[in-house]
Amino acid sequence: METAPRSFLVNAMPSVLVVDDEDQVRQLIRETLEEAGYDVQEARGGKQAVECYRAQPADLVIMDILMPDQDGLESTMTLRREFPASRVIAITGGSDMIGVLNFLDVAKMLGARRTLQKPFEMKTLLDAVAAELSN
């Protein structure tokens, strides 16, 4: 049974799960989102992200694509299959191609609602987060 994200509860701040294997990237995104008023949880990899989401669904997930334990593509697919209402913004600094498709295109096909290529401006991220949470 799918649990409602916490922002549907009275007076709760919107929650965001930030998933990235790079500590500095995760910290920068977390601090930026917290300063903007979001409740932020973190995961270092895809497996941990799915476990965190199962335990406490977030309103939005910011998912890195290239991670060692379970990549963001598989994790996005798992979240969207188990939680059809989940919202994912996929991010990556990887420019590798899978055939003729790049990772961000594949992430969109697997259910990511938006994508951002690293490096990106924090304002661009905040705008994407606000847009997703207002839908």
Side-chain angles (χ1 to χ4, degrees):
M1 180 164 107
E2 187 168 340
T3 305
R6 289 186 297 158
S7 71
F8 294 113
L9 304 175
V10 178
N11 296 325
M13 294 184 300
S15 60
V16 181
L17 174 60
V18 178
V19 187
D20 199 304
D21 60 318
E22 295 181 50
D23 293 342
Q24 291 178 323
V25 172
R26 218 176 42 255
Q27 180 181 353
L28 176 61
I29 293 172
R30 184 197 67 215
E31 290 172 357
T32 300
L33 291 172
E34 285 177 343
E35 286 174 13
Y38 297 103
D39 178 27
V40 181
Q41 301 300 317
E42 297 180 44
R44 284 196 163 101
K47 287 181 183 179
Q48 184 182 23
V50 172
E51 290 169 8
C52 288
Y53 197 94
R54 285 176 181 149
Q56 187 172 20
D59 299 307
L60 180 65
V61 179
I62 298 172
M63 179 83 68
D64 187 26
I65 299 299
L66 300 175
M67 296 181 288
D69 74 331
Q70 178 174 299
D71 68 49
L73 297 175
E74 183 177 348
S75 301
T76 296
M77 198 168 48
T78 299
L79 287 178
R80 297 288 295 141
R81 182 180 61 246
E82 291 183 24
F83 304 92
S86 62
R87 295 182 248 187
V88 176
I89 296 175
I91 62 175
T92 190
S95 59
D96 291 38
M97 305 293 274
I98 304 172
V100 296
L101 300 172
N102 75 34
F103 289 125
L104 294 176
D105 291 338
V106 173
K108 274 211 148 181
M109 288 188 285
L110 295 175
R113 294 167 57 115
R114 293 178 189 263
T115 61
L116 294 173
Q117 178 74 42
K118 293 179 190 176
F120 47 79
E121 297 290 326
M122 284 300 115
K123 179 175 180 352
T124 302
L125 177 67
L126 288 173
D127 291 346
V129 168
E132 280 307 313
L133 291 173
S134 70
N135 289 334

